[in-house]
Each structure stands twice: as C-alpha cells, then as structure tokens.
Amino acid sequence: MLEQALVVLAEAGGTAVVQAAGTDTWTGLRQAVARWFGRGNSEREQAELERLDRTAGELEVAGTTVAERVRIRQEAAWQARIESLLENLDAAERARAAADLRALLTRHTGQGAASSGPGGLAVSGSMDIRTDGGSVGVGVLNGDVHIDRPQVPDPSQG
C-alpha cells in the first residue's frame, strides 16, 4: 500500500495524461510519461506510447454523452498504472521515481497551472464569483471554500 502522498501524485499523473490528450502539451507529456514508465527499457517505453495513443484516441472519439465517463475511466486507469509501478519498486527506487514524476508533471503541465475542458474556466489561485439580484453563481470546486456574509446595504438603498 502506498503512502497518501504517492497516491495523490499518481492521481495527478492520471489527470495530467487525460487533460493533455489532444492539446499542445500532449506530445511532450506523452514522450515523458512513456520514458518514465519505460525506466530505460525501449520496448516497455514503446508499449507505453501505444497505450497513451489508445487513451488519446478513446478520448477523441468519445461522444458528448459518454465523454465524462471515458475521461474518468482513463484517469483512474492511469492512476492505477502509476500506483502499480511505484508499489513494485524498492524504497530508494520509489523515491527516485516519485521525484522524477513530480518533475515531469511540473515541466509538462506547469507548476500551479490550471486547465479546463471546452467551455470551462480554470483558475490557479483565488477567484471571486459574485451574484446579485437573486442570481446564482456555480462552479466546480477543488479546494478550500471561504464564504463571507454579504454586506448590509446602506439604509438609503432601501
């Protein structure tokens, strides 16, 4: 069983693979991930390139009704593959592989960067969503929430 930090790292790796597919960052990330999995074995690296291409293909052809399910399934599959590789390494190799994966993700996804699918908005940092007149603000949240009480209107405003 992996420690929580490595599970989170594997999750970030799975998410990065899926989010990069079909974007400008795909080629570089694809090569780096295949090299990371290959660990110096060119046959294993080639097999990973083919697996990554199948992932990108599945994501590309997924219709709008199943796209989210395909994305979730692919993220989970890549997370599981990363976890499996890490679990099968001794402690020193695992630490080195984890550091390599962190560096790879930082280099190819941008540290602190955020990305979103078509029609989405991604923010790395803080964002305020304000509504008025009884409207509703909606967003998907991955992080902390801080809700402030609304300001009391000036008595002259009714």
Side-chain angles (χ1 to χ4, degrees):
M1 184 104 191
L2 290 177
E3 62 185 70
Q4 185 62 29
L6 294 179
V7 171
V8 170
L9 178 62
E11 181 180 8
T15 299
V17 166
V18 171
Q19 287 183 349
T23 70
D24 294 341
T25 62
W26 176 244
T27 302
L29 180 72
R30 174 185 170 269
Q31 290 291 334
V33 168
R35 267 192 311 276
W36 186 81
F37 272 103
R39 318 241 23 99
N41 180 318
S42 61
E43 288 178 18
R44 197 169 25 194
E45 185 175 325
Q46 184 58 42
E48 293 304 328
L49 286 169
E50 292 169 9
R51 186 173 278 116
L52 286 158
D53 289 341
R54 283 193 303 274
T55 293
E58 284 187 36
L59 291 164
E60 184 179 330
V61 299
T64 55
T65 58
V66 297
E68 183 67 10
R69 281 185 295 190
V70 171
R71 185 191 63 74
I72 290 168
R73 185 172 48 81
Q74 288 296 330
E75 284 180 1
W78 282 102
Q79 177 182 348
R81 290 188 48 67
I82 293 167
E83 287 178 10
S84 179
L85 185 144
L86 292 171
E87 285 174 339
N88 289 309
L89 298 173
D90 66 38
E93 291 173 315
R94 184 179 304 126
R96 193 169 31 259
D100 291 347
L101 182 57
R102 280 186 199 93
L104 177 161
L105 293 174
T106 299
R107 185 170 47 257
H108 292 282
T109 63
Q111 187 168 2
S115 64
S116 174
L121 172 66
V123 176
S124 179
S126 298
M127 180 176 135
D128 290 333
I129 299 175
R130 298 179 189 271
T131 63
D132 60 15
S135 59
V136 176
V138 178
V140 175
L141 179 66
N142 295 308
D144 295 337
V145 175
H146 302 283
I147 300 175
D148 294 327
R149 300 188 103 198
Q151 292 181 348
V152 177
D154 185 273
S156 65
Q157 295 176 328

